[in-house]
Amino acid sequence: MAEAAGSREQPAAGRAPPDAAHRAEEESESASLDAPAAAAGRRRERRSGVSAVGTAERFPGSSLGPAAASDPDASLLEAAKATPRRSSIIKDPSNQKCGRKKTVSFSSMPSEKKISSASDCISFMQAGCELKKVRPNSRIYNRFFTLDPDLQALRWEPSKKDLEKAKLDISAIKEIRLGKNTETFRNNGLADQISEDCALSVIHGENYESLDLVANSADVANIWVSGLRYLVSRSKQPLDLMESSHNTPRFAWLKTVFEAADVDGNGIMLEDTSVELIKKLNPTLKESKIRLKFKEIQKSKEKLTTRVTKEEFCEAFSELCTRPEVYFLLVQISKNKEYLDANDLMLFLEAEQGVTHITEEMCLDIIRRYELSQEGRLKGFLAIDGFTQYLLSPECDIFDPEHKKIVQDMTQPLSHYYINASHNTYLIEDQLRGPADINGYVRALKMSCRSIELDVCDGPDNEPIICNRNNMTSPLAFRNVIEVINKLAFFASEYPLILCLGNHCSVQQQKVVVQHMRRIFGNKLYTETPLSSEAYLPSPEKLKMKIIVKGKKLPCDQDILEGEVTDEDEEAEISRRLSENFTREPKLIWLCRELSDLVSLCKSVQYKDFETSMKAQNYWEMCSFSEAEASRIANEYPEDFVNYNKKFLSRVYPSTMRIDSSNLNPQDFWNCGCQIVAMNYQTPGPMMDLHTGWFLQNGGCGYVLRPSVMRDEVSYFSANTKGIVPGVSPQVLHVKIISGQNFPKPKGACAKGDVIDPYVCIEIHGIPADCTEQRTKTVQQNSDNPIFDESFEFQINLPELAMIRFVVLDDDYIGDEFIGQYTIPLECLQPGYRHIPLRSFVGDIMEHVTLFVHIAITNRSGGGKAQKRSLSVRIGKKAREYTMLRNTGLKIIDDIFKLAVHPLREATDMRENMQNAMVSVKELCGLPPIASLKQCILTLSSRLVSSDNAPSVTLSMKDAFPYLEPLGTVPDVQKKVLAAYDLMIQESRVLIETADITHDKIVQCQKAGMEFHEELHNLGTKEGLKGRKLSKAIESFAWNITVLKGQGDLLKNAKNEALENMKQIQLACLSCGLSKTGSGHTDAKSKRCLEAIQEKDTGDENGRL
């Protein structure tokens, strides 16, 4: 049936060695790896300008380098040498993980014809191609694989065996897996150098042996997977295997479109008419490309005419408008049909897209809205073109629509939010000579900016003006500016607007400023005197529709009409720095009582040091920091800066040396908790992309709630953390860059004509431990639909502060040119297959320009090589530092925290045991760690079927938990899967049933510790602690409280996740027919158990957890 190369799906220790003849055959061919890979490396040198050494393993046309074939250690050394291109933002080379050098894709896909049907896949397989065969002994061999003309067997050569033995019968194939999802791949020493997207496995025989292969590109892997799945699913109707594309729903629809346009009814139409018709169906296509396709088709048929037949029209449309990656996806989720029915779509939305509470009627509604053919809409199926339209629709946008609404708690103190802020809002050019322009305010307010700046000076006729005092040529009347502000203040957000008033007026004109503001703003002005009995600022919710003035204030205890205050004059700073007589002496200005009284919650004060501020500063007072000063403080006192910002507002403005209006990196100061980081809105670029992307969340209201670890009164967080965050469990972001659509030529690029060579950079921004960057290969000369098919993983230590930025660049000899970007907070990502609408350099969305990706977020990376599991365990134990408590040196407090050590260990063990059990089930099902449990049940149900198509297991609800019971004899390989499934249910059950008790113990220790919070200094003094030792004790106390709170929250979330998993498993079992048939009693019992789980879930949410 099959050559002994097939490795059995069982532990490596129990795997039988290959027979001697087969080993001799493969050893004789081992050298065949070197020549093609070396040639590939030489080809790549032409453009990338990098050495072939150390990069062959990254070459998209060759999945492994020459060294990888002969020496695994050498290959790993080469991989370590590969460093990524440092593009726009990330600066720290130590954070550049798994870098990829610039490489050009020499894809083996035929460029003249796209894969648009099953018959295309089968034709490709019959022609054959080279694949690498992976053996459990870490050896990899080149073989040429073909599909027999009669479609009954898969063959490979060279082989010293009989030709009848070097084959695999299609009838023996059980399933086909895409990716490194077998024991052979997981145990192979070179697995890390094999692309996930180029790997595939053919599972065959009653013992589920695996034939593990690596294609030269992801395109080729997809063709083999789709073609083999099609053959296996149609194995009972061999005569229909080569189903003509003329019998598909798509062809039937195209035929009706053609006939409707063929007014003469002759079955032919002018080429011009055909071009217009295809352009109407797909507006993104260029006319020249459509005409060229018609010429190719007619040339192949040796026709010389400008008329197009129905068949030629259908062929041209199919080749031009079929995106292979979407076709492969459709075939995969439709169980190898050419269309999706409502059930297929429902499973896709639930299992892949993470949509909950989906119904068949909702799926039929999607079909009716997106299917292009009338037949499909009536019969309820979605063909390739309708499916493509759906994936491109706003419903499949990467941005979670929930975050387009206010989803965060808006009742926290104002100091607990990041606030969208503009610097020198009136400028639209550089800082030195740029004119003032009213459009600066219009733009900022329409972008939900909640902190704008007004520099007011004396103007003619006793009318104050706003201007750049380094360029007085185009002043703005103050009255006109605040009229515009009054009109647009709450246009994009109803939450408070802060006016940072730079007062450079005489006392006389200050009074005019006050008159204008009181008259125009009216009761929108917030002038209430802060209450000394309060400890924190009011909330954004309480300050809705209010305008708050930030500025200097006269002493309240002095009954004076005017007085002198220090001037925080940022613009004058530029002039002073450029002058020879620059001094740092503070300047004093006169301030009238009327203007002073407008300032309430945002009184400007000068920063001295944190010790002084924490003792003497009032909650309604705020400091402004220059970029340089804030950077120094962030580096020297990162923990103190975070603690300071829990109570007080901080404003950071760009360096006075940024005369060109360039922008600082806001993330550096958000990490410290600084709320108001002022940006030069007029200057687009990576920093403004981060700022704009960050404030898209929470309904784009201009206020974003900071992470709890940066808000809680007693908590520990350092802005410079380069590792774990106490109490926060890291997440793993899985990103697959699949393809791009309609990339424009970079502006100003003219050297290469209309040709571009795109690649994608993925940047992660957040705390220092999370900042990293990776990139795809370069796809040569393709702007319409470049296929990347590359997967990446990123560990995120503080998800609430993380952002992901996708950047598309044109690979050029001189310098890589910008094509488009999209920046999004991690919290706003939607899982599944998504299209990203790319933005231009200035931030505008580009029509029809998208990036097609797959997104998943897991609690751990999973997988891993079995022989290194012990190392993984050691790393895991080290990573548990986020649960470790620190010694404070205060005995009475340390004794309390010691009581929490055991509950913390229990909580962590329960969560990790459940996660490990889930990963084991996924691995045995042949699925990646990012797969859902619903996908596991779907995969299991197809295996656990007897010869008469009856299920060999049944769902058995025991105490409301979904166990699977065998119905008769089950093969050993399936027993192993069922045993792993039982362990997963058992670990979930342990967590659900004991989480409350453990959670209570953790909370009790946290509360007991907090009772000593106010007494820390006194206790430290009694213990003889002072200075740095006392500070360290207080820091350790905050760390421990943070760990306890974080671990309690994680346990609570894990229990809710486990309950949800039990519900999803039961629903999946019922929908897959794994409940006992013919027993209404059993179905009723299952329904009651599901209701019991739901009640348990609801009860817990309303109770302790």
Side-chain angles (χ1 to χ4, degrees), residues 652-672:
V652 179
Y653 57 89
S655 166
T656 52
M657 301 309 291
R658 293 186 182 274
I659 296 172
D660 60 351
S661 294
S662 59
N663 275 308
L664 48 74
N665 186 344
Q667 190 79 53
D668 294 342
F669 306 104
W670 291 337
N671 289 347
C672 301

Side-chain angles (χ1 to χ4, degrees), residues 520-534:
I520 293 172
F521 292 146
N523 60 8
K524 294 177 185 173
L525 271 177
Y526 187 89
T527 57
E528 294 179 21
T529 303
L531 299 174
S532 56
S533 58
E534 299 287 339

Side-chain angles (χ1 to χ4, degrees), residues 84 90 95-100 729-737 760-767 769-776 790-799 802-807 826 829 853-862 930:
I90 308 296
N95 283 338
Q96 310 302 316
K97 302 168 187 174
C98 305
R100 298 170 186 230
S729 178
Q731 292 184 344
V732 179
L733 170 66
H734 306 259
V735 180
K736 182 176 183 180
I737 305 292
V760 182
C761 266
I762 309 161
E763 301 169 353
I764 305 297
H765 299 270
I767 61 173
D770 294 340
C771 292
T772 186
E773 171 185 314
Q774 295 192 41
R775 57 154 292 171
T776 68
E790 289 192 68
S791 299
F792 305 90
E793 278 188 11
F794 304 93
Q795 178 165 308
I796 311 295
N797 293 284
L798 187 56
M803 275 193 291
I804 179 169
R805 182 172 182 258
F806 301 90
V807 192
L826 185 77
L829 285 176
V853 301
H854 183 270
I855 300 289
I857 299 175
T858 62
N859 291 329
R860 51 168 288 178
S861 53
I930 62 174

Side-chain angles (χ1 to χ4, degrees), residues 791-834:
S791 299
F792 305 90
E793 278 188 11
F794 304 93
Q795 178 165 308
I796 311 295
N797 293 284
L798 187 56
E800 289 176 276
L801 264 187
M803 275 193 291
I804 179 169
R805 182 172 182 258
F806 301 90
V807 192
V808 182
L809 299 164
D810 180 18
D811 197 342
D812 198 14
Y813 290 103
I814 301 171
D816 298 343
E817 296 173 309
F818 178 90
I819 293 173
Q821 69 83 31
Y822 187 80
T823 307
I824 180 173
L826 185 77
E827 299 276 291
C828 298
L829 285 176
Q830 286 209 94
Y833 290 92
R834 305 289 171 184

Side-chain angles (χ1 to χ4, degrees), residues 852-962:
F852 188 39
V853 301
H854 183 270
I855 300 289
I857 299 175
T858 62
N859 291 329
R860 51 168 288 178
S861 53
K865 297 183 286 294
Q867 76 270 23
K868 292 192 177 179
R869 278 293 163 85
S870 57
L871 176 62
S872 299
V873 170
R874 289 199 300 274
I875 293 172
K877 295 291 184 186
K878 184 179 179 182
R880 276 193 180 189
E881 189 183 340
Y882 65 87
T883 70
M884 300 296 288
L885 298 176
R886 293 179 176 178
N887 192 348
T888 66
L890 305 173
K891 186 177 184 305
I892 187 170
I893 294 178
D894 287 337
D895 288 345
I896 291 172
F897 286 139
K898 283 176 184 176
L899 298 175
V901 171
H902 184 65
L904 282 176
R905 188 179 298 119
E906 279 186 341
T908 309
D909 286 344
M910 285 191 290
R911 288 191 298 108
E912 291 190 353
N913 289 345
M914 185 182 75
Q915 290 294 331
N916 291 338
M918 288 171 62
V919 170
S920 294
V921 171
K922 292 173 185 178
E923 287 182 352
L924 290 170
C925 289
L927 295 171
I930 62 174
S932 67
L933 288 178
K934 183 149 193 171
Q935 289 170 309
C936 290
I937 298 300
L938 293 173
T939 302
L940 272 177
S941 66
S942 64
R943 290 190 193 177
L944 301 171
V945 174
S946 59
S947 56
D948 58 352
N949 284 332
S952 57
V953 298
T954 184
L955 174 67
S956 175
M957 299 302 298
K958 298 178 182 177
D959 302 323
F961 289 93

Side-chain angles (χ1 to χ4, degrees), residues 44 51-59 63-69 71-84 96-101 189-195 774 865 868:
R44 188 180 63 255
S51 168
V53 176
T55 57
E57 72 276 10
R58 297 296 181 197
F59 179 55
S63 298
L64 289 170
D71 184 357
D73 292 332
S75 300
L76 293 173
L77 183 61
E78 290 176 7
K81 291 178 184 176
T83 55
Q96 310 302 316
K97 302 168 187 174
C98 305
R100 298 170 186 230
K101 296 202 175 193
L190 299 175
D192 286 344
Q193 299 180 53
I194 297 172
S195 168
Q774 295 192 41
K865 297 183 286 294
K868 292 192 177 179

